[in-house]
């Protein structure tokens, strides 16, 4: 699915995406039916038809080249020169073949809005419309076509100015998000370094001090030296415990953070996300929350990579059962699901849930695939929403 869709601000990266863009762009060529009809039924001689067809094909090829190259680093001078060629072709074809060819100026206006920066497009779009007006008044009965073409030329051109601005803003937003993510990662590394320094600094200093002291005591007071060595062993063991707890805390995901990450992942994959409101996890053990966060991550990863879904729904509800209150996390999509049996991810997830007394259900649903993770909780209420 992600291989076909092209997000705003993203250029096609493969043949399929280029074909999709070409298809959508080609739809607007339907407005060239008037010039084509004039070539076929306008009463022109064979030589004029051939020259007109060559001119029309050259115009379309030049138009596509300009649209597909827009935003790839060309200077404004090159774009303006290309637009001048299109405007010249439109003028010559309209003056020589008649009013039906005035529609070419609409394409020039649209290309102007799509390929030029807004500050220039605000001048060129009215300029193209003015040129079309002059040419229309110069060809027989051109004024009859002018009323139906002037507004589309202006609106189409300025609409593309808006689209180009939206694309530029979207690209800047993505770059800003990437920068924020990088800064957050750097800050997290610095925080981890500070915490490890605080954890190990004192312990390592104490180990060094006691090692030196044991070395001095060893010749004359071996018993006291042995006691210092025993203290060194205790301090080092405690340091190892502290480091393990610190690293475990860093690796333990949180459900609120995973929900935010899930929204970004699904949106980037072009999947409509229906997520719960921020839950109230007061009283829920951190280990239980961590297991549910792992379940959410694994489920959504499978949805993005394997399902081909268009919609994914996540629900988090608290239920009362005969065994006591439980917290249920449900992830359901409308895709085809992954081929084959349960993979290592689901197997590992099932083991995590079993360690906290929970259970996992995964399989086909009415509209796709459904994963349900259920864990026991205390009496604290947990908010839910869809």
């Amino acid at each position: 699915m992600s291989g076909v869709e092209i997000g705003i601000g993203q250029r096609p990266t493969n043949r399929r995406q280029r074909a999709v863009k070409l298809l959508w762009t080609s739809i607007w060529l339907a407005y060239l039916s008037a010039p084509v009809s004039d070539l076929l039924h306008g009463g022109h001689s064979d030589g004029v038809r051939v020259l007109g067809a060559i001119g029309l094909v050259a115009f379309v090829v030049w138009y596509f080249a300009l649209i597909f190259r827009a935003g790839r680093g060309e200077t404004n001078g090159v774009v303006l020169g290309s637009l001048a060629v299109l405007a010249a072709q439109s003028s010559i074809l309209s003056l020589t073949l008649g009013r039906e060819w005035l529609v070419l100026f609409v394409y020039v206006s649209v290309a102007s809005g799509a390929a030029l920066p807004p500050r220039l497009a605000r001048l060129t779009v009215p300029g193209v419309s003015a040129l079309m007006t002059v040419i229309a008044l110069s060809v027989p009965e051109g004024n009859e076509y002018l009323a139906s073409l002037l507004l589309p030329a202006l609106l189409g051109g300025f609409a593309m100015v808006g689209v180009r601005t939206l694309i530029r803003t979207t690209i800047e937003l993505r770059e800003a998000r990437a920068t924020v993510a990088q800064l957050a990662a750097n800050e997290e590394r610095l925080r981890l370094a500070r915490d490890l320094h605080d954890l190990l600094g004192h312990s390592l200093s104490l180990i060094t001090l006691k090692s030196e002291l044991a070395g001095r005591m060893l010749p004359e007071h071996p018993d006291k030296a042995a006691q210092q060595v025993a203290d060194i062993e205790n301090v080092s063991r405690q340091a190892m415990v502290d480091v393990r707890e610190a690293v475990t805390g860093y690796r333990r995901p949180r459900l609120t953070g995973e929900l935010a990450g899930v929204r970004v992942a699904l949106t980037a994959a072009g999947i409509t996300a229906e997520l719960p409101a921020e839950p109230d996890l007061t009283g829920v053990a951190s280990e239980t929350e961590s297991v549910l966060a792992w379940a959410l991550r694994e489920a959504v990863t499978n949805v993005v990579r394997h399902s081909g879904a268009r919609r994914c729904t996540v629900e988090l509800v608290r239920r009362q059962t005969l065994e006591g209150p439980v917290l249920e996390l449900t992830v359901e999509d409308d895709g085809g699901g992954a081929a084959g049996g349960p993979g290592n991810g689901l197997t590992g997830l099932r083991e995590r849930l079993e360690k906290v007394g929970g259970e996992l259900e995964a399989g086909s649903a009415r509209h796709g695939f459904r994963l349900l993770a259920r864990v026991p909780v205390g009496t604290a209420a947990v908010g839910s929403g869809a």
Side-chain angles (χ1 to χ4, degrees):
M1 181 172 179
S2 60
V4 179
E5 294 187 353
I6 306 173
I8 293 178
Q10 292 179 325
R11 298 190 186 98
T13 56
N14 54 51
R15 289 185 179 179
R16 200 170 185 182
Q17 290 183 351
R18 293 189 188 96
V20 170
K21 181 175 180 178
L22 180 61
L23 175 63
W24 281 107
T25 308
S26 300
I27 291 176
W28 301 104
L29 295 183
Y31 289 101
L32 294 179
S33 58
V36 173
S37 177
D38 179 66
L39 283 177
L40 297 177
H41 311 292
H44 301 295
S45 64
D46 293 340
V48 172
R49 288 179 179 176
V50 171
L51 293 177
I54 294 175
L56 183 59
V57 171
F59 178 89
V60 171
V61 171
W62 200 272
Y63 171 79
F64 270 102
L66 180 58
I67 292 297
F68 273 82
R69 296 295 301 179
R72 296 193 178 183
E74 287 82 356
T75 62
N76 292 333
V78 173
V79 177
L80 287 171
S82 299
L83 289 171
V85 173
L86 288 176
Q89 290 176 323
S90 302
S91 301
I92 294 173
L93 291 172
S94 299
L95 290 173
T96 56
L97 296 177
R99 60 182 185 176
E100 289 82 1
W101 295 77
L102 291 171
V103 71
L104 298 183
F105 284 100
V106 177
Y107 290 90
V108 180
S109 180
V110 169
S112 175
L116 284 174
R119 59 183 178 83
L120 291 178
R122 294 189 185 100
L123 299 176
T124 56
V125 170
V128 171
S129 301
L131 177 60
M132 180 181 66
T133 301
V134 173
I135 299 298
L137 297 177
S138 303
V139 300
E141 300 179 351
N143 57 329
E144 297 179 4
Y145 272 46
L146 181 61
S148 61
L149 294 178
L150 186 58
L151 190 59
L154 288 171
L155 291 181
F158 284 118
M160 292 308 300
V161 173
V163 170
R164 182 181 174 92
T165 302
L166 176 61
I167 290 175
R168 187 178 66 253
T169 303
T170 303
I171 293 175
E172 292 174 352
L173 179 59
R174 284 178 177 156
E175 293 175 348
R177 284 178 175 174
T179 301
V180 169
Q182 183 63 40
L183 291 175
N186 292 338
E187 179 62 26
E188 191 68 11
R189 293 189 187 100
L190 290 175
R191 187 162 71 93
L192 177 59
R194 289 194 299 267
D195 289 353
L196 289 179
H197 176 271
D198 293 341
L199 284 171
L200 297 179
H202 174 72
S203 299
L204 293 178
S205 298
L206 186 57
I207 289 173
T208 302
L209 179 61
K210 285 185 172 291
S211 298
E212 294 175 352
L213 186 58
R216 290 196 298 267
M217 289 180 175
L218 187 58
E220 298 179 0
H221 305 284
D223 294 339
K224 293 182 178 180
Q227 181 60 44
Q228 296 297 328
V229 172
D231 291 344
I232 292 172
E233 181 181 0
N234 292 332
V235 172
S236 62
R237 289 184 184 277
Q238 184 59 44
M240 291 176 62
V241 172
D242 292 340
V243 170
R244 287 195 186 101
E245 290 180 352
V247 174
T248 300
Y250 276 101
R251 295 178 59 190
R252 181 177 294 157
R254 291 289 180 260
L255 197 54
T256 303
E258 286 301 320
L259 284 171
V262 160
R263 185 181 299 276
V264 174
L266 291 174
T267 302
I271 300 175
T272 302
E274 296 182 4
L275 304 180
E278 184 172 347
D280 178 13
L281 297 172
T282 303
V284 178
S286 59
E287 186 177 1
T288 300
E289 180 189 354
S290 177
V291 170
L292 287 178
W294 280 115
L296 179 60
R297 180 184 300 183
E298 177 66 23
V300 173
T301 298
N302 288 337
V303 171
V304 172
R305 291 182 179 177
H306 309 300
S307 70
R310 293 176 296 178
R311 180 180 299 274
C312 179
T313 302
V314 178
E315 293 182 346
L316 184 65
V317 297
R318 182 178 182 272
R319 302 187 189 278
Q320 185 66 38
T321 66
L322 295 177
E323 291 77 15
V326 297
L327 186 60
E328 291 184 350
L329 173 71
T330 304
V331 181
E332 184 172 350
D333 63 73
D334 61 354
N344 293 330
L346 292 181
T347 301
L349 182 57
R350 193 183 304 276
E351 294 173 353
R352 288 178 183 271
L353 287 166
E354 290 175 352
K355 288 182 179 180
V356 297
E359 56 184 343
L360 177 69
E361 298 177 8
S364 299
R366 181 174 57 181
H367 299 296
F369 190 82
R370 180 172 178 265
L371 181 143
L372 171 64
R374 182 184 296 111
V375 294
V377 296
T379 57
V382 178
S384 64

